[in-house]
Amino acid sequence: MEVTSEETTKMCTHCERSIPSSNIDLHFAHCSRNLEKCKICGDMIPRKHAEEHFVNTHAPISCSLCSEMMERDILAVHKGENCPQRIVTCEFCEFPLPAIDLAEHQEVCGNRTELCHLCNRYIRLRERYNHESRCNGMLDQTAGPSR
């Protein structure tokens, strides 16, 4: 059985919530005395916890890897995708190193060579996948030492 309320409501001018008209005066007195609207996110926060809310939710935070200051809500994305000190893996040797050092490392690491067992030629690691897809397996008897 559904109960319908015929009671009218009024908008609290402090928290902007719809309050039953019979309770609006009591609600407004309590609301305006004990709650404040966060200037950043608009949430209603108990006055005694307003500073804590700001510090835990909105205050800039330092990345533990690179020390860059940023808003707390972008820290996870920064650490996972943008931080120059996040650990990434070399595609050639799978060595973990800071992202800022990856390009220089892979420039050297990708120039290392390995012997292709299909054609008996030394192939640069950076060219290995391309080579493997088109290598016809013809043995090259003249393969010399790695350059």
Side-chain angles (χ1 to χ4, degrees):
M1 176 183 224
E2 191 172 314
V3 176
T4 58
S5 174
E6 300 283 326
E7 190 170 16
T8 61
T9 61
K10 288 188 177 179
M11 188 68 69
C12 173
T13 57
H14 187 69
C15 70
E16 299 174 355
R17 289 179 47 207
S18 184
I19 305 298
S21 297
S22 60
N23 295 344
I24 192 70
D25 293 333
L26 184 60
H27 168 85
F28 182 79
H30 171 80
C31 184
S32 58
R33 185 181 318 119
N34 296 306
L35 300 176
E36 71 179 61
K37 189 176 221 173
C38 175
K39 292 171 179 65
I40 298 171
C41 67
D43 288 352
M44 294 304 290
I45 308 296
R47 286 189 191 278
K48 63 183 178 181
H49 298 301
E51 181 66 26
E52 179 184 349
H53 167 77
F54 176 79
V55 169
N56 292 335
T57 310
H58 305 297
I61 190 167
S62 174
C63 172
S64 61
L65 301 174
C66 70
S67 302
E68 181 181 338
M69 295 298 290
M70 66 198 65
E71 293 180 25
R72 187 176 298 271
D73 59 341
I74 65 169
L75 180 63
V77 172
H78 167 78
K79 279 186 165 181
E81 299 175 15
N82 304 326
C83 181
Q85 295 299 325
R86 74 188 184 283
I87 300 302
V88 294
T89 304
C90 172
E91 67 177 285
F92 304 116
C93 69
E94 298 181 6
F95 182 77
L97 67 162
I100 196 167
D101 299 329
L102 182 65
E104 183 179 350
H105 171 86
Q106 285 189 159
E107 180 66 30
V108 173
C109 195
N111 279 325
R112 291 185 304 123
T113 60
E114 285 186 354
L115 182 64
C116 172
H117 297 290
L118 295 174
C119 66
N120 204 33
R121 292 178 52 213
Y122 284 94
I123 307 301
R124 284 191 179 128
L125 293 181
R126 74 174 65 246
E127 298 165 355
R128 178 177 53 201
Y129 299 112
N130 229 0
H131 173 79
E132 287 174 355
S133 68
R134 65 175 199 269
C135 181
N136 60 14
M138 296 293 292
L139 292 177
D140 182 355
Q141 302 300 325
T142 62
S146 174
R147 290 188 239 172

